[in-house]
Amino acid sequence: MQKHLILWLGGYYKASYATCYALCTTSWHWAEVSLTSTSPTHPRFFPASALVNQQLFAWGGRYYSGGDDKYFDDLLELDLSTMARTYQLRAHVRHVPTSGTAPEAKFAATLTNVHDARLILFGGAQWKIGGACNPDSSLHVLDLHSRVWTHHLLARVPRPRLQHQARLIGRGELLLVLGGYDGRNKEYLGCRDWAVLNLRSLEWVRGALYDPGQVRVRARVRTRVRHRMWALSLIHISEPTRLLSISYAVFCLKKKKHKHKKTIKQIYH
């Protein structure tokens, strides 16, 4: 059985695409995927994407060409079941109708699949000339059964950002958000700006908490374990939109080994 990495949509200024390509992980050969659709798909770059079974979802994104600058708030679905069943490079694209309190049009957000039941959309922004923008920390949840968006207004939120990473950890009970770009002061965020969302309570339980009265926020990024400091690291190896599951590793590093047993306090219930 052949497996593929899927590259769909994308581009940058003056060159945005609505095409799809597949990279075979056996022969490492690129080939274009033939797409069918009931309505045209507008080219765009930096959409948020998530894989749910054999469907690849893409939300939002941006199109820029000369004076034509557009942001999107629609949800697209790329049906890959034909490729999985027949190994033919064919797929179908459709616009998914949704309701509820939908996110505003933006790009460079993250979309995360939670147990094939919900999609979590976090962050993103609309760009301004010179690299300035006002990213947000809004959290929107899409129920995959009813296709209804819900906007969760939380008292404590992480620092606003776009172009970040979001991955499930803790056996799928937690969502880790790391890095990104804060366009308010044109600052790229590193490992000092992370946050963890409890997916049961939908509350931010650890990490960089944003104070709306401050532009720059310094956050502690270490977890104390019996008075010893552990640094949190994230490795992510993937294409932004691909058929295979996301490969990632979250681990802790320590300077010395100790013989006595250490315990880590859980951050979810």
Side-chain angles (χ1 to χ4, degrees):
M1 178 180 176
Q2 292 183 338
K3 295 184 179 180
H4 296 84
L5 303 182
I6 300 299
L7 181 63
W8 179 38
L9 305 172
Y12 203 52
Y13 295 107
K14 300 182 181 180
S16 300
Y17 307 96
T19 52
C20 181
Y21 289 85
L23 175 63
C24 178
T25 58
T26 302
S27 63
W28 298 108
H29 174 72
W30 281 103
E32 185 172 2
V33 178
S34 177
L35 298 179
T36 59
S37 177
T38 55
S39 59
T41 301
H42 200 293
R44 65 193 68 191
F45 62 91
F46 236 134
S49 61
L51 182 67
V52 181
N53 297 318
Q54 296 175 351
Q55 281 71 43
L56 185 59
F57 290 91
W59 181 91
R62 182 187 183 192
Y63 173 82
Y64 181 88
S65 180
D68 189 7
D69 193 4
K70 297 180 180 179
Y71 292 88
F72 302 94
D73 60 357
D74 55 346
L75 181 67
L76 304 176
E77 178 192 77
L78 180 66
D79 188 353
L80 300 167
S81 59
T82 300
M83 286 184 57
R85 185 177 63 254
T86 66
Y87 310 118
Q88 297 179 4
L89 295 181
R90 295 187 293 110
H92 182 73
V93 181
R94 74 182 186 97
H95 289 76
V96 180
T98 61
S99 60
T101 308
E104 64 178 7
K106 54 186 175 180
F107 83 134
T110 51
L111 192 66
T112 307
N113 174 16
V114 181
H115 307 307
D116 297 339
R118 298 178 293 171
L119 294 179
I120 305 290
L121 184 77
F122 174 75
Q126 290 193 11
W127 204 257
K128 295 182 179 179
I129 297 176
C133 64
N134 291 315
D136 60 47
S137 293
S138 63
L139 187 72
H140 287 81
V141 179
L142 177 68
D143 185 283
L144 286 172
H145 177 70
S146 63
R147 300 289 198 265
V148 174
W149 283 105
T150 303
H151 183 202
H152 291 267
L153 298 175
L154 305 176
R156 302 197 309 170
V157 297
R159 186 175 178 179
R161 66 194 69 201
L162 69 156
Q163 300 176 353
H164 51 281
Q165 290 288 333
R167 293 292 176 265
L168 294 181
I169 59 174
R171 297 182 180 180
E173 299 292 338
L174 306 169
L175 178 68
L176 171 66
V177 172
L178 179 68
Y181 178 76
D182 186 349
R184 297 169 302 167
N185 50 10
K186 301 181 182 180
E187 180 183 358
Y188 285 96
L189 310 180
C191 61
R192 291 183 177 275
D193 287 281
W194 61 275
V196 175
L197 177 71
N198 186 322
L199 293 174
R200 294 185 181 181
S201 64
L202 289 179
E203 296 287 341
W204 296 98
V205 293
R206 288 290 187 274
L209 297 180
Y210 169 61
D211 182 355
Q214 299 179 2
V215 175
R216 292 180 177 270
V217 178
R218 294 187 179 273
R220 297 181 61 186
V221 295
R222 293 178 175 179
T223 302
R224 183 173 296 276
V225 182
R226 291 190 178 182
H227 307 289
R228 292 178 176 84
M229 306 304 292
W230 295 57
L232 183 68
S233 303
L234 175 68
I235 290 179
H236 171 229
I237 307 171
S238 75
E239 291 291 339
T241 53
R242 72 178 201 173
L243 179 58
L244 302 180
S245 58
I246 297 300
S247 301
Y248 70 91
V250 179
F251 58 94
C252 294
L253 301 178
K254 61 180 180 179
K255 294 182 178 179
K256 296 182 180 180
K257 294 183 178 180
H258 300 276
K259 294 182 180 180
H260 57 273
K261 184 177 179 181
K262 303 178 180 59
T263 58
I264 301 178
K265 182 179 179 180
Q266 291 185 343
I267 59 175
Y268 57 91
H269 304 285

